[in-house]
Amino acid sequence: MMTQDWHTRLSHAGRAGTHAHGFVNPPVHRGSTVLNPDIATRMDAGGRRFDQALVYGTLGTPTHWPLEDVVAEIEGGTRCQIVSTGVAAFTVPLLAYLSAGDHVLMPDSVYGPARQFADQFLSRMNIATTYFDPLIAPAALADLFRAETRVLYLESPGSHTFEVQDVPGLAAVAHARGAVVMIDNTWGIHYFQPFRHGCDVSIQALTKYLAGHSDMVLGGIIVNDDEVWQRVRATTLLLGQHAAPDDVWLALRGARTLAVRLDRQMQSGLTVARWLAGRPEVARLLHPAFPSCPGHEYWKRDFSGASSLFGIVLRPEHSRAAVHAMVESLSLFGIGASWGGYESLALPTQGTITRTVGTGDFGGETVRIHIGLEEPADLIADLERGLSVLRGFAG
Ligand SMILES: *Cc1c(COP(=O)(O)O)cnc(C)c1O
């Protein structure tokens, strides 16, 4: 299986097998109670495969298992735990590993809600967080480790500012000090293989590219080690985490077209980004596949592709009001959070991001752009009109 192209593997992983009476897809199993044939079977249950007994709906169903297999396959891990949201996909592993008195390291460019979880929740458990420059060299990161540092949490590229991190270098420092390495790999989905680069836990907001249709929220925690699995699985159950079977089924449907969508969105993203980089209104492109992006050299070394979310920095003469007018004038780009769906989005980000080590300021207003499945020429025409609104803005 390992030698086949991932388009092939995505088509064949997580099939229903014999339990769906020959239908290609697994059915939606909605359920709480599972009736067991006898007490012995029940006592012995907890198994998670089609041929094993089940005891209760919260433990997962034959609708969840195929999606878990597919997501593990995409991320190059051995197992995946499906949870309710992308946020739960990081709170669960953090709580699985952190105890009172522990210390965690996070990049300054970490996804906002992850920072809030550290600052507003972990802090109440007497768990301290130190933020570091996402472009930090491994030797400098080593200086931030304490005796009680238990987790190195990464996200590459960074949220909104797209700094690509030296994941293998930073992970090696953490492992030498006995810490666990977690990475939010939502952007790099499949194009970055976390376990080949020294990570122990991979986090996916399946809400984004995997689901792909902006119609649900879901998270995945992926591991490649049985000990890590036991901890993540136990904590998932202790916290009462569950995902609705209907959403899981929809996500599995989305997964079947993930490879073609990602290929197309990568190409369209590169086309639009290249066009934007050549525009006089744009001061800088923050797209990991371009040399103008901080940490581009790590993208080149470690990634096999790029997803279609990136940023632009506008020239300093363009005011925030002008940028807002530009974004509002676009007809094909929606103004909205999230990304990874089939539709393009544009979101002004300056003033909405928190940084405590750096400033997150690139010397101009920033806009985060998500490229969907539209024809790039149409998107470029829309942006061209938007940039004329930007140039003509008065007031
Ligand atoms: C959206 C997102 C999440 C959270 O996913 P939800 O399903 O919205 O909770 C986590 N990490 C990153 C990088 C995201 O973009």
Side-chain angles (χ1 to χ4, degrees):
M1 279 305 266
M2 285 310 288
T3 55
Q4 288 171 350
D5 184 86
W6 82 295
H7 288 73
T8 307
R9 286 186 275 124
L10 258 186
S11 168
H12 285 266
R15 291 275 186 95
T18 53
H19 89 290
H21 306 285
F23 284 100
V24 177
N25 295 300
V28 179
H29 291 266
R30 298 186 191 84
S32 51
T33 301
V34 178
L35 300 176
N36 300 118
D38 50 52
I39 307 295
T41 309
R42 185 173 173 74
M43 300 300 282
D44 193 40
R48 304 181 62 259
R49 288 298 142 185
F50 298 125
D51 55 351
Q52 290 178 309
L54 282 158
V55 285
Y56 195 51
T58 57
L59 303 183
T61 70
T63 306
H64 292 75
W65 303 332
L67 181 66
E68 290 174 359
D69 288 350
V70 166
V71 176
E73 176 82 35
I74 291 166
E75 293 278 285
T78 51
R79 299 201 75 160
C80 166
Q81 173 67 52
I82 300 294
V83 290
S84 57
T85 62
V87 167
F90 61 77
T91 60
V92 168
L94 284 170
L95 291 172
Y97 276 94
L98 292 167
S99 303
D102 284 349
H103 175 237
V104 53
L105 287 162
M106 284 189 172
D108 199 30
S109 53
V110 75
Y111 177 63
R115 180 188 280 267
Q116 287 160 16
F117 183 67
D119 292 350
Q120 297 170 30
F121 190 96
L122 294 179
S123 63
R124 283 168 36 213
M125 311 289 122
N126 191 27
I127 296 160
T129 306
T130 300
Y131 296 97
F132 60 87
D133 178 345
L135 297 169
I136 196 168
L141 182 77
D143 292 340
L144 300 178
F145 271 80
R146 306 176 187 169
E148 59 275 17
T149 306
R150 186 86 173 101
V151 172
L152 170 65
Y153 185 97
L154 301 172
E155 180 190 346
S156 179
S159 269
H160 297 310
T161 41
F162 297 94
E163 299 91 340
V164 187
Q165 291 148 45
D166 180 4
V167 174
L170 302 177
V173 168
H175 284 157
R177 284 156 186 78
V180 174
V181 181
M182 302 179 185
I183 186 165
D184 185 329
N185 193 39
T186 302
W187 190 95
I189 182 169
H190 185 76
Y191 293 139
F192 182 82
Q193 293 286 298
F195 304 109
R196 284 194 213 149
H197 294 103
C199 303
D200 303 300
V201 175
S202 180
I203 290 148
Q204 269 295 334
L206 302 175
T207 307
K208 309 286 165 59
Y209 286 109
L210 187 122
H213 296 73
S214 307
D215 52 4
M216 53 175 300
V217 291
L218 206 66
I221 308 162
I222 306 94
V223 304
N224 78 335
D225 175 273
D226 193 54
E227 234 181 274
V228 182
W229 167 255
Q230 297 302 338
R231 256 179 193 271
V232 165
R233 175 73 178 158
T235 308
T236 302
L237 299 180
L238 287 169
L239 291 170
Q241 266 294 326
H242 180 64
D246 293 272
D247 285 343
V248 169
W249 188 89
L250 268 180
L252 188 61
R253 173 190 266 231
R256 299 304 179 194
T257 57
L258 175 67
V260 284
R261 285 187 286 108
L262 271 181
D263 282 357
R264 162 84 181 186
Q265 285 175 275
M266 166 165 65
Q267 291 310 329
S268 301
L270 292 170
T271 301
V272 175
R274 200 171 292 119
W275 181 82
L276 281 166
R279 293 291 311 202
E281 302 86 350
V282 176
R284 187 169 178 182
L285 178 64
L286 302 174
H287 186 308
F290 289 76
S292 56
C293 190
H296 165 71
E297 63 273 25
Y298 304 124
W299 176 84
K300 228 168 132 178
R301 186 189 66 189
D302 300 336
F303 286 69
S304 61
S307 57
S308 64
L309 185 81
F310 58 91
I312 53 169
V313 184
L314 294 154
R315 291 212 182 273
E317 61 265 30
H318 301 299
S319 68
R320 187 163 300 174
V323 171
H324 289 186
M326 172 190 82
V327 167
E328 285 172 354
S329 77
L330 299 171
S331 60
L332 296 178
F333 289 80
I335 303 170
S338 204
W339 41 282
Y342 58 86
E343 80 290 11
S344 292
L345 301 166
L347 198 65
T349 48
Q350 208 74 40
T352 67
I353 58 178
T354 306
R355 297 285 183 271
T356 48
V357 178
T359 59
D361 188 350
F362 288 93
E365 291 295 313
T366 48
V367 179
R368 189 183 75 171
I369 292 176
H370 171 255
I371 300 299
L373 291 170
E374 301 93 334
E375 174 59 36
D378 292 333
L379 296 174
I380 287 173
D382 197 26
L383 288 167
E384 178 127 47
R385 280 190 299 272
L387 289 173
S388 70
V389 169
L390 182 76
R391 281 194 310 276
F393 186 82

